[in-house]
Amino acid sequence: LEIMSILELEWTNLVETDATLRLQLALEGAFYLIAYCAGLRGEEVPLTDIHGIRSTFEASGNHSRPHVVVALIGRFKSELGLNSHLMALVSVTKSGLEPRKWIGRVIAEYDRIGVTHGPMFRNAFGQRIKASAMEGKFFGRLAEVQQSKPHLMPGIEDVEEEYGVYRSFRRGVTSRAMDLGLPTDVVEANNRWRRFNKAGASRPSLSMREHYTDVTLTLNHRLRFSENL
């Protein structure tokens, strides 16, 4: 939460002409929030697909329960070749995290430069990055928090020894879910996509619109994980 407060302050200080910096900052914020609010491991976050998010962004914002859909590209089998899994996150969590705002900023910045398909987290050649590419920024943010508010990180001497993008978000949200006493079925439902992906399991052959419609049928249950964070 403190890292996101730092990013929000930096965002408000950026001017419209700082296009590159705006995109980089938006991607950083989106990475952290997708990882945490969706309960993903670091290496899973770069699976996020731009087109899958863009195609549902307007509808998810206009829904009676505004949310944002994160599309992950995996090994799911489908006759139409649609190999994505959709994870619904609340627009704003109970603690004030805002995944929809930051994901929307990424989409807006990509729209400025004509990027509408492919990996959300990409290098200069449009290729999907590895999670390790975000590690330096993450360590830098932790160092900022450690310096400005050391009481939030008691007993931590070396952030690089204690944290990392591959494990910190997943570990943190798992602990938070336990503290909140979230029902097992809610946690398991949030993790179900991972079992399909590992197995390369067959999924129904649906268009993206049909896939999203299917998500909305059980939306309240799907949002219970992220809304309580």
Side-chain angles (χ1 to χ4, degrees):
L1 189 59
E2 183 60 29
I3 287 178
M4 296 313 302
S5 295
I6 292 173
L7 295 184
E8 187 65 42
L9 180 60
E10 289 188 12
W11 180 268
T12 59
N13 291 329
L14 285 176
V15 297
E16 289 291 323
T17 54
D18 290 334
T20 300
L21 292 178
R22 290 172 67 87
L23 177 57
Q24 291 176 349
L25 192 61
L27 284 167
E28 184 181 357
F31 187 98
Y32 300 155
L33 289 174
I34 290 172
Y36 186 74
C37 295
L40 300 180
R41 302 185 181 105
E43 69 270 18
E44 295 167 340
V45 183
L47 298 176
T48 306
D49 177 66
I50 297 172
H51 176 66
I53 293 178
R54 289 183 84 257
S55 63
T56 61
F57 196 75
E58 182 177 357
S60 60
N62 292 330
H63 195 276
S64 58
R65 290 201 66 187
H67 55 282
V68 63
V69 171
V70 174
L72 302 175
I73 297 297
R75 295 172 54 234
F76 316 111
K77 299 172 184 176
S78 158
E79 292 177 8
L80 295 180
L82 179 62
N83 61 344
S84 62
H85 178 80
L86 305 185
M87 301 189 75
L89 308 177
V90 290
S91 293
V92 184
T93 71
K94 286 187 175 180
S95 67
L97 297 174
E98 301 178 283
R100 182 178 173 83
K101 175 193 282 186
W102 282 92
I103 291 171
R105 286 171 173 172
V106 174
I107 298 302
E109 294 305 314
Y110 270 142
D111 281 348
R112 290 176 183 238
I113 57 177
V115 176
T116 59
H117 290 73
M120 173 175 280
F121 303 99
R122 55 174 59 200
N123 59 24
F125 302 102
Q127 300 167 329
R128 181 181 296 121
I129 64 169
K130 293 184 177 181
S132 57
M134 299 296 294
E135 198 127 62
K137 290 183 178 181
F138 183 49
F139 289 149
R141 298 302 181 185
L142 289 172
E144 289 182 58
V145 174
Q146 189 177 40
Q147 184 174 12
S148 63
K149 297 188 177 181
H151 64 281
L152 295 178
M153 302 174 67
I156 303 298
E157 295 183 5
D158 187 345
V159 295
E160 295 188 22
E161 286 291 328
E162 298 291 334
Y163 300 95
V165 295
Y166 285 99
R167 62 185 185 278
S168 294
F169 298 103
R170 174 73 178 157
R171 185 173 62 187
V173 76
T174 298
S175 297
R176 181 62 175 160
M178 292 178 62
D179 291 342
L180 292 170
L182 291 183
T184 302
D185 65 312
V186 172
V187 177
E188 289 183 347
N190 191 71
N191 295 333
R192 186 177 60 175
W193 77 274
R194 192 174 289 114
R195 295 198 299 272
F196 279 101
N197 188 48
K198 284 183 177 179
S202 296
R203 304 292 300 274
S205 181
L206 303 174
S207 68
M208 185 60 71
R209 178 175 294 182
E210 291 171 326
H211 198 171
Y212 176 60
T213 298
D214 188 49
V215 167
T216 61
L217 294 177
T218 55
L219 185 63
N220 288 336
H221 187 68
R222 290 171 182 265
L223 293 179
R224 285 184 66 189
F225 184 85
S226 61
E227 72 178 343
N228 286 288
L229 300 177

